């Protein structure tokens, strides 16, 4: 911070610097002369130390006059306001009853403290404010008196960055959250717009400084910034005027831009030297320099050079160069554009497909630049081995319980014979055989008829009575695993496709012109396919944009008179994944589980405890199926190191 206060013809300067750890140091020096100094002499670091030793007593003497300060009317803080700014930043606005308030901002642990030494705090403002509902890093503001002035403490949560500036009778403190790097997903118009909005127009990386200038010459401000940045600043003779501003914890390069914009100035940097001049002067200088360069190039002789393309197609490189922004190619609309980037207005490039060469005709500087550009493009491309594994695991369980029984017999009432049982004959006297209840075990298992399922039978025979009882039970368990292992090698950023399978023929029926149906044979692909486009990143990882598909025939559906139609099970995944070199990752999977139970029974009789089991049939099945797809990329370095 630099401040100029004049008492009795003595000018006292104070300069506050923030070191890399955020500590503050003060330097004082005096300039003896009239109360208004137009152009102070340039004082280096050694001069500052000397002025500190010589003039510190004068500053103390000047500051030891409290009578005039006490005579001045006190400034009052009239309003404390809080708003939510852009990108979730919290803004505290302090309004004073008149200009002249001197505020100092500092960061202390998880708080931002603002000290206003020459402004009083009314009693109605001495209260805490809860601002957590604004969803900013600031959670609470506490205003309290501090000596003859006021102090405001902002309690902050999480990582933050603070900035303060003053304009007239307003002092604004802005606390913004420190943002993590945004995640990158699919590239489309919306994502590009969001990314562009998150990128600042200019990034500032200078050390934070605090300045407080009251009607100080611009040249003096530039000198202080030069001392802080360790750069050489050259100001044009047309740089004049004074500036008044207050900045707190602002990077020095941002402070320089603010000063330049305030006075209509601009800068050009060349190494460690910064040239500051009015914007029209810099624009005219650059335009004259560009006109002179173009005039020299227009008088320079053209040369012709041939560039052999080894690892790409000359037509592909020619197309990429000519479609690039600013590429001329000789003649046409680009001739009036001056320097178009790759070629001069008179330059020309031609691709020869037979020899796979580029012919370039231009001035020597442009030809050399084009040759260097092509050398960076025409390089061998690394390759990637992609190995996929498709695992299909199945686990089945089925159980059936059933019963069959029959009762038969005869009973004589005089000359009449009564028959019992569904299978008895009406004319005999012996008991016949038959089944009254038939509920065999054939619901979920593949045993088929009850005779094919394991069973336990019991038969009781008598002269006029017989009993047949059969209990059947069948349980099946099955486990299976199908593994497919496609592999493919492709170049970086080139799509590779591998497929294996067969074509299944089937018949379709269409109506003919004469009203008769016409049979047509069509084919359906049933394939195992791997389609992938790899991109090798700079951190030795591989970005895979891939599609994996595995089809298989489930069953054939028979249509009477027309043959069969296949039913196809399809398994497919389409995804993009970032994988380390040589790392195996599961890119997808499907887990299916089915649990079914059924009971078939005779009404009423099947509900009798214990005995009801003879009148019912039970079935139960459980099916599990799991699909897992693994992928392993391996980078094959073939590009020559340069």
């Amino acid at each position: 911070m630099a401040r100029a206060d004049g008492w009795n013809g003595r000018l006292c300067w104070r300069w506050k610097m923030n070191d890399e750890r955020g500590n503050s140091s003060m330097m004082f020096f005096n300039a003896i002369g009239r109360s208004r100094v137009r152009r102070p002499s340039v004082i280096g670091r050694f001069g500052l130390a000397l002025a500190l030793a010589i003039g510190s007593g004068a500053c103390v003497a000047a500051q030891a006059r409290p009578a005039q300060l006490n005579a001045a009317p006190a400034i009052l803080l009239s309003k404390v306001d809080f708003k939510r700014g852009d990108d979730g930043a919290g803004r505290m606005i302090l309004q004073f009853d008149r200009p002249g308030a001197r505020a100092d901002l500092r960061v202390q642990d998880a708080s931002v403290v603002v000290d206003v030494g020459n402004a009083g705090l009314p009693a109605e403002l001495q209260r805490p404010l809860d601002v957590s509902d604004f969803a900013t890093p600031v959670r609470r503001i506490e205003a309290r008196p501090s000596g003859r002035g006021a102090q405001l403490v902002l309690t902050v949560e999480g990582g933050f960055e603070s900035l303060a500036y003053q304009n007239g009778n307003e002092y604004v403190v802005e606390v913004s959250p420190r943002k993590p790097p945004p995640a990158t997903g699919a590239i489309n118009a919306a994502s590009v717009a969001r990314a562009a909005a998150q990128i600042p127009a200019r990034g500032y990386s200078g050390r934070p400084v605090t300045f407080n200038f009251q009607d100080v010459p611009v040249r003096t401000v530039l000198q202080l910034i030069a001392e802080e940045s360790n750069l050489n600043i050259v100001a044009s003779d047309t740089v004049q005027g004074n500036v008044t501003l207050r900045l707190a914890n602002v990077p020095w390069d941002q402070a320089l831009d603010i000063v330049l914009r305030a006075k209509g100035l601009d800068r050009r940097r060349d190494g460690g030297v910064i040239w500051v001049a009015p914007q029209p002067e810099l624009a005219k200088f650059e335009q004259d320099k560009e006109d002179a360069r173009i005039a020299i190039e227009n008088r320079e002789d053209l040369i012709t050079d041939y560039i052999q393309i080894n690892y790409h197609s000359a037509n592909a490189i020619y197309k990429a160069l000519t479609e690039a922004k600013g590429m001329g190619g000789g003649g046409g609309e680009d001739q009036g554009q001056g320097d178009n980037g790759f070629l001069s207005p008179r330059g020309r490039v031609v691709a020869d497909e037979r020899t796979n060469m580029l012919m370039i005709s231009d001035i020597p500087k442009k030809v050399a630049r084009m040759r260097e550009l092509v050398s960076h493009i025409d390089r061998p491309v690394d390759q990637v081995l992609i190995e996929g594994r498709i695992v299909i695991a199945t686990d089945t369980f089925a159980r059936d319980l059933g019963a069959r029984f029959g009762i038969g017999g005869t009973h004589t009432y005089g000359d009449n014979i009564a028959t019992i049982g569904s299978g008895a004959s009406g004319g005999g006297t012996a008991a016949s055989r038959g089944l009254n209840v038939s509920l065999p075990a054939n619901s979920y298992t593949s045993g088929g008829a009850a005779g094919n399922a394991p069973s336990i039978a019991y038969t009781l025979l008598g002269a006029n009575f017989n009993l047949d009882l059969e209990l059947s039970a069948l349980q099946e368990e099955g486990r299976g695993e199908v593994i497919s292992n496609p592999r493919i090698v492709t170049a970086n950023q080139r799509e590779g496709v591998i497929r294996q399978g067969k074509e299944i023929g089937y018949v379709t029926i269409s109506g003919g012109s004469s009203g008769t149906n016409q049979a047509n044979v069509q084919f359906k692909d049933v394939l195992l396919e791997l389609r992938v486009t790899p991109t090798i990143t700079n951190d030795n990882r591989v970005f895979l944009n891939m599609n994996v598909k595995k089809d298989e025939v489930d069953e054939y559906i028979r249509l009477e008179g027309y043959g069969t139609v296949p039913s196809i099970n399809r398994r497919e995944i389409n995804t993009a994944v970032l994988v380390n070199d040589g790392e195996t990752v599961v890119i997808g999977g499907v887990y299916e589980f089915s649990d079914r139970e059924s009971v078939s029974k005779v009404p009423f009789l099947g509900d009798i405890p214990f005995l009801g089991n003879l009148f019912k049939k039970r079935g139960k099945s459980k099916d599990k199926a799991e699909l897992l797809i693994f992928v392993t990329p391996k980078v094959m370095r073939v590009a020559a190191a340069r």
Side-chain angles (χ1 to χ4, degrees):
M1 180 177 65
R3 186 181 63 185
D5 299 314
W7 296 293
N8 294 335
R10 187 178 299 277
L11 182 65
C12 179
W13 290 83
R14 186 175 65 177
W15 185 17
K16 178 180 178 181
M17 296 172 49
N18 295 330
D19 59 13
E20 297 179 355
R21 296 183 179 179
N23 299 324
S24 300
S25 59
M26 295 291 184
M27 291 187 179
F28 300 88
F29 63 93
N30 293 331
I32 302 176
R34 293 179 298 176
S35 59
R36 181 177 181 84
V37 180
R38 294 184 178 178
R39 183 178 297 179
S41 59
V42 178
I43 300 177
R45 297 187 180 273
F46 178 77
L48 288 174
L50 182 60
L52 173 63
I54 298 176
S56 60
C59 279
V60 173
Q63 294 177 358
R65 298 175 178 246
Q68 297 181 5
L69 293 178
N70 294 337
I75 301 175
L76 293 179
L77 179 61
S78 58
K79 184 179 180 182
V80 179
D81 194 7
F82 187 84
K83 297 180 179 179
R84 176 185 168 89
D86 298 335
D87 298 330
R91 300 179 61 193
M92 183 185 69
I93 304 174
L94 304 181
Q95 291 186 358
F96 303 93
D97 57 353
R98 58 180 175 273
R102 294 191 297 271
D104 187 17
L105 181 142
R106 71 179 188 273
V107 177
Q108 182 177 352
D109 296 332
S111 301
V112 177
V113 182
V114 179
D115 292 315
V116 187
N118 64 336
L121 183 65
E124 61 270 14
L125 297 180
Q126 298 179 14
R127 66 181 187 275
L129 299 177
D130 186 3
V131 294
S132 57
D133 294 339
F134 287 87
T136 67
V138 183
R139 316 303 296 175
R140 179 185 176 92
I141 299 176
E142 185 175 354
R144 58 195 178 196
S146 176
R148 300 178 58 85
Q151 184 181 77
L152 293 98
V153 180
L154 289 77
T155 303
V156 187
E157 186 179 72
F160 67 94
E161 297 176 355
S162 60
L163 175 66
Y165 56 90
Q166 185 173 359
N167 183 15
N169 62 339
E170 285 189 352
Y171 184 78
V172 180
V173 178
E174 184 170 339
V175 180
S176 58
R178 186 178 291 111
K179 296 182 179 180
T184 303
I187 302 300
N188 48 40
S191 62
V192 172
R194 287 193 300 268
Q198 293 174 355
I199 298 176
R202 181 190 295 268
Y204 299 104
S205 58
R207 187 168 57 180
V209 295
T210 299
F211 288 144
N212 183 6
F213 298 122
Q214 300 291 335
D215 197 24
V216 177
V218 177
R219 289 179 173 271
T220 302
V221 179
L222 296 178
Q223 174 62 27
L224 296 178
I225 295 178
E227 293 288 343
E228 178 64 24
S229 62
N230 292 326
L231 294 176
N232 299 316
I233 297 181
V234 179
S236 174
D237 293 339
T238 54
V239 176
Q240 300 294 338
N242 296 350
V243 63
T244 299
L245 75 159
R246 174 188 290 269
L247 300 175
N249 292 334
V250 177
W252 67 261
D253 46 355
Q254 184 180 7
L256 177 60
D257 285 346
I258 293 174
V259 173
L260 297 181
R261 287 199 301 266
K263 303 303 293 183
L265 304 174
D266 204 350
R267 61 170 175 169
R268 295 295 182 268
R269 181 168 179 171
D270 186 5
V273 179
I274 296 179
W275 178 30
V276 177
Q279 294 178 355
E281 183 178 341
L282 285 177
K284 185 177 183 305
F285 171 78
E286 292 178 346
Q287 183 63 41
D288 294 342
K289 182 179 178 181
E290 184 68 13
D291 293 342
R293 185 188 63 80
I294 294 175
I296 294 175
E297 290 183 354
N298 289 335
R299 294 192 298 268
E300 195 170 358
D301 295 334
L302 300 180
I303 63 172
T304 302
D305 196 2
Y306 301 91
I307 302 178
Q308 179 67 49
I309 306 301
N310 299 316
Y311 303 102
H312 295 274
S313 170
N315 287 332
I317 294 182
Y318 170 78
K319 183 179 179 181
L321 293 176
T322 54
E323 290 180 354
K325 182 179 180 180
M327 181 65 186
E333 300 177 355
D334 294 310
Q335 287 189 352
Q337 296 180 357
D339 186 5
N340 49 46
F342 296 145
L343 297 177
S344 68
R346 298 184 296 161
R348 182 181 298 272
V349 59
V350 177
D352 184 12
E353 183 179 0
R354 185 179 63 86
T355 60
N356 203 36
M357 296 180 65
L358 289 178
M359 183 188 71
I360 302 174
S361 177
D362 209 336
I363 61 177
K365 182 179 68 174
K366 292 294 184 179
V367 171
R369 183 179 301 178
M370 181 66 72
R371 178 174 285 277
E372 181 181 1
L373 176 62
V374 173
S375 67
H376 284 81
I377 298 176
D378 185 30
R379 292 186 178 183
V381 180
D382 293 335
Q383 298 178 359
V384 182
L385 168 65
I386 299 99
E387 179 181 1
R389 286 186 295 277
I390 305 173
V391 181
I392 303 174
T394 59
D395 188 356
T396 61
F397 171 83
R399 177 191 295 165
D400 280 333
L401 298 176
R404 303 196 306 171
F405 73 93
I407 301 175
T410 59
H411 183 71
T412 303
Y413 297 94
D415 295 333
N416 297 323
I417 299 175
T419 302
I420 302 174
S422 60
S425 61
T429 60
S432 61
R433 306 288 299 276
L435 295 175
N436 301 107
V437 178
S438 179
L439 295 173
N442 59 355
S443 296
Y444 295 107
T445 56
S446 59
N452 296 329
S455 60
I456 298 176
Y458 175 77
T459 302
L460 179 62
L461 299 176
N464 298 320
F465 175 82
N466 64 70
L467 172 64
D468 291 329
L469 176 63
E470 181 181 287
L471 299 178
S472 60
L474 184 62
Q475 178 173 314
E476 294 180 348
E477 294 184 7
R479 290 181 176 86
E481 187 175 280
V482 179
I483 300 178
S484 303
N485 187 207
R487 299 184 183 182
I488 187 173
V489 177
T490 183
N492 185 28
Q493 296 183 348
R494 294 290 297 271
E495 184 184 47
V497 179
I498 183 172
R499 57 170 61 98
Q500 177 190 10
K502 57 184 178 180
E503 292 184 344
I504 304 297
Y506 60 96
V507 178
T508 60
I509 305 300
S510 60
S513 58
S514 60
T516 60
N517 294 332
Q518 182 178 359
N520 299 316
V521 178
Q522 295 187 0
F523 293 89
K524 180 68 176 179
D525 291 336
V526 180
L527 301 174
L528 167 63
E529 182 181 79
L530 172 63
R531 185 185 299 268
V532 59
T533 303
T535 300
I536 303 174
T537 63
N538 292 331
D539 54 355
N540 201 32
R541 293 190 288 181
V542 183
F543 182 80
L544 300 175
N545 192 345
M546 60 189 311
N547 178 271
V548 182
K549 180 170 61 175
K550 178 175 176 57
D551 300 338
E552 62 181 10
V553 178
D554 182 27
E555 61 178 349
Y556 288 91
I557 303 174
R558 178 171 296 278
L559 302 178
E560 295 295 334
Y562 300 105
T564 59
V565 177
S567 174
I568 300 175
N569 290 334
R570 301 199 61 182
R571 301 176 180 91
E572 184 176 2
I573 183 171
N574 189 355
T575 184
V577 63
L578 184 64
V579 189
N580 292 328
D581 181 18
E583 183 181 65
T584 300
V585 64
V586 181
I587 63 173
V590 177
Y591 180 77
E592 295 179 289
F593 176 77
S594 63
D595 188 354
R596 297 187 297 271
E597 292 186 8
S598 67
V599 176
S600 301
K601 61 183 179 179
V602 177
F604 305 110
L605 297 178
D607 297 329
I608 300 174
F610 301 107
L611 186 60
N613 292 324
L614 299 177
F615 300 92
K616 67 175 61 174
K617 178 177 65 173
R618 297 177 182 271
K620 183 177 183 180
S621 68
K622 292 183 179 180
D623 295 329
K624 298 179 183 179
E626 187 171 9
L627 168 66
L628 295 175
I629 301 177
F630 302 85
V631 64
T632 304
K634 298 179 181 179
V635 179
M636 305 169 59
R637 299 290 182 182
V638 298
R642 298 192 179 185

